[in-house]
Every structure is written in C-alpha cells, then in structure tokens.
Amino acid sequence: MEADYFNYGTSSFNEINLHNGQFLHNIGLRGQGMQIAMMDGGFFNYNIYPAFDSANLNGQILNTWDFVDRQQSVAEDDSHGMSCLSTIVANIPGQFIGKAPKASFYLYRTEDVGSEHKIEEFNWACGAERADSSGADVISTSLGYYIQFTSPSVDHPNSDMDGNTTMAAIAGDLAAKKGLLVFASIGNDGNNPTATHYLSTPSDGDSVLAIGAVNSSGVVGNFSSYGPSFDGQIKPDLSSVGVSARVQTSSGAIGSSNGTSFSCPNMAGLATILWQAFPNYN
C-alpha cells in the first residue's frame, strides 16, 4: 500500500479519514483551481500564522474585504474566521493538513462580533453577492442568526427559520441558484438550556447545506443544533468533524476546538476537492 500524499499527523488523519478524504488528495485533488469565499467575523493574523504559510507564499488569498468597517484588511479583527480557514488550507506536514490546502480564497468580514444586529445579515448578503461576482465556487460561513441579538426585540422567532424569510436565507438560496455551493454551520444550541435546539439562519435555506458537528469517530456532538426547519426540512444536511477539531488558535499555536463553526469548513473543503474532480456537475 502506497503512503498518503500528505503526512497528516494523527489528529488531521483521523479527521479526514472519517470521510475517506485522503483518497481524493492521493489522486491529485487538493483544491487547485477552486475558489472558496469565507464569510466570518475576522481573520486575525492569517497573514503570519504558520497554518497559512503555504497559502500566503503561493498567493492563494485572492482578495479580502471588511463589510463592517469598509476597508481592505481583515487581519486585525476577530480570530474566529482565521481558525475556520485553517481547517481548509493548513499545510504543516506531520501536524495539521487542511481539507483543500491548494484552493484559493476570498476572505470577507461580514460579522461585527462586538454586537448582534440584523445589519449583519445584510452584510452577509453583500458578501455572497461579492463572492458570486468574484468567481467563487464555494461559500463557507460559520455564522448563524436566530436569537441573542443585542436588542431581543429583533430576535427571530422559530417561524422565521423556514428557508424563505430571513435576508441571510434568501441570499444563501440565491447564491446557490447562481451556481455556488453554500455551506453554513447549523449552530451550537443543541443542549443550550436557555435556548431552543433549533438551527440558525442561513442554514435553514433549502439550497444551503446545513452542517452539523461530530467527532472523528462520527459521534454527534451534544452541542450541535438540529432541525427540522420550520417548514419541515430535515437538517443538518451533512456533518463533519467539529468536536475537538484541529485548528490554528488565536495564540498562534495549533490546537483543537469545538463547534459547528469548524465542521462547516471541514465539509466545505472536502466538497471543494470532490467537485474539483467533476467540474461539469452543478
């Protein structure tokens, strides 16, 4: 039996082996020529942290934009998007290999982590539109809106989670209609005693792939939100590793973290390299 193309290290291997994704890497599918738009709350130090050395050296970050502060740079903001990005693009042999380490990326900050207002759903829609106009193939977004807005009066009732009501769901479905694959975290309220267990938007969109979290053995994380959506769709659509997921941390170290925030880009990266093999499929 031939050795794998990448030296994953134990943790990265266990993650990708759950989906047999190393098979795709071994036959040459590593994201080359594919473009992924990441929409999040910031990508702190993506330009200097080790998980991104190869991507930065090879010019794989195609464009960035901050829809909150209306500026080009996204490297000084929140670290959440940076950790999500690392699950796809990391290339540290023997320690941390992402799911599509040769893909190219658009990094869009649409979320203001200091507060929660519905303008962020409009920012998300703007990011999706820019991803489409830039030529992205895939959107990966580890964001979700439901309750816990800064002003509770604008919280979404569960009846809004019908795939057709919120700005984010409408934009996600339109992006899919334009030909993008759209992946969204389903949410982390599965065992939250102060909230319902239901999914958040835009994962309720009928053409948006809602991603739940499992561990590397396929066991569902108890925090992972679930459906059905208010209109009866079975959600999540897919699940990937979001329990003790391998990530680049905000401190600069390689570590692990929990959340559908990380299962979403894990699945988006895998889907990207699978789609790379079948470019004529919609």
Side-chain angles (χ1 to χ4, degrees), residues 197-282:
H197 62 253
Y198 291 118
L199 76 175
S200 56
T201 195
S203 72
D204 60 316
D206 60 18
S207 297
V208 174
L209 290 157
I211 310 302
V214 298
N215 67 16
S216 59
S217 298
V219 177
V220 177
N222 61 7
F223 58 83
S224 189
S225 295
Y226 48 95
S229 61
F230 190 77
D231 60 326
Q233 300 172 67
I234 301 301
K235 296 278 185 172
D237 298 282
L238 299 163
S239 292
S240 190
V241 177
V243 179
S244 297
R246 199 73 164 158
V247 298
Q248 173 80 68
T249 69
S250 59
S251 69
I254 304 303
S256 62
S257 194
N258 296 324
T260 57
S261 288
F262 310 114
S263 58
C264 176
N266 270 325
M267 183 55 72
L270 288 163
T272 297
I273 59 175
L274 180 62
W275 200 8
Q276 183 186 352
F278 302 98
N280 294 326
Y281 281 49
N282 63 26

Side-chain angles (χ1 to χ4, degrees), residues 24-270:
L24 299 175
H25 286 170
N26 292 343
I27 62 172
L29 303 171
R30 300 155 198 153
Q32 310 94 308
M34 302 296 287
Q35 298 182 7
I36 303 172
M38 308 284 294
M39 297 199 289
D40 215 290
F43 301 87
F44 180 72
N45 280 351
Y46 80 88
N47 50 345
I48 61 172
Y49 277 169
F52 314 103
D53 284 351
S54 293
N56 287 317
L57 181 65
N58 295 323
Q60 291 168 238
I61 309 302
L62 301 179
N63 189 252
T64 63
W65 187 253
D66 184 334
F67 287 89
V68 179
D69 290 335
R70 300 183 184 183
Q71 62 181 20
Q72 197 74 43
S73 178
V74 295
E76 62 283 301
D77 300 299
D78 190 72
S79 64
H80 186 264
M82 176 274 297
S83 294
C84 294
L85 173 64
S86 72
T87 70
I88 304 180
V89 78
N91 191 358
I92 307 176
Q95 189 177 5
F96 186 17
I97 302 295
K99 307 309 179 294
K102 299 296 184 181
S104 297
F105 296 86
Y106 302 98
L107 307 182
Y108 298 148
R109 180 188 177 219
T110 63
E111 173 82 359
D112 181 355
V113 299
S115 61
E116 198 79 289
H117 296 287
K118 283 192 176 178
I119 185 64
E120 291 161 302
E121 290 188 47
F122 287 81
N123 291 344
W124 196 96
C126 291
E129 185 175 35
R130 182 159 177 158
D132 174 41
S133 64
S134 297
D137 303 294
V138 174
I139 289 174
S140 177
T141 183
S142 295
L143 300 172
Y145 304 96
Y146 182 15
I147 57 174
Q148 298 176 333
F149 281 87
T150 300
S151 174
S153 64
V154 300
D155 283 358
H156 288 295
N158 188 50
S159 57
D160 279 1
M161 302 296 111
D162 62 357
N164 297 303
T165 297
T166 73
M167 173 57 69
I170 293 168
D173 282 348
L174 284 171
K177 187 176 181 179
K178 292 287 187 177
L180 287 89
L181 271 175
V182 183
F183 294 83
S185 298
I186 195 169
N188 299 321
D189 287 320
N191 63 352
N192 188 341
T194 63
T196 71
H197 62 253
Y198 291 118
L199 76 175
S200 56
T201 195
S203 72
D204 60 316
D206 60 18
S207 297
V208 174
L209 290 157
I211 310 302
V214 298
N215 67 16
S216 59
S217 298
V219 177
V220 177
N222 61 7
F223 58 83
S224 189
S225 295
Y226 48 95
S229 61
F230 190 77
D231 60 326
Q233 300 172 67
I234 301 301
K235 296 278 185 172
D237 298 282
L238 299 163
S239 292
S240 190
V241 177
V243 179
S244 297
R246 199 73 164 158
V247 298
Q248 173 80 68
T249 69
S250 59
S251 69
I254 304 303
S256 62
S257 194
N258 296 324
T260 57
S261 288
F262 310 114
S263 58
C264 176
N266 270 325
M267 183 55 72
L270 288 163

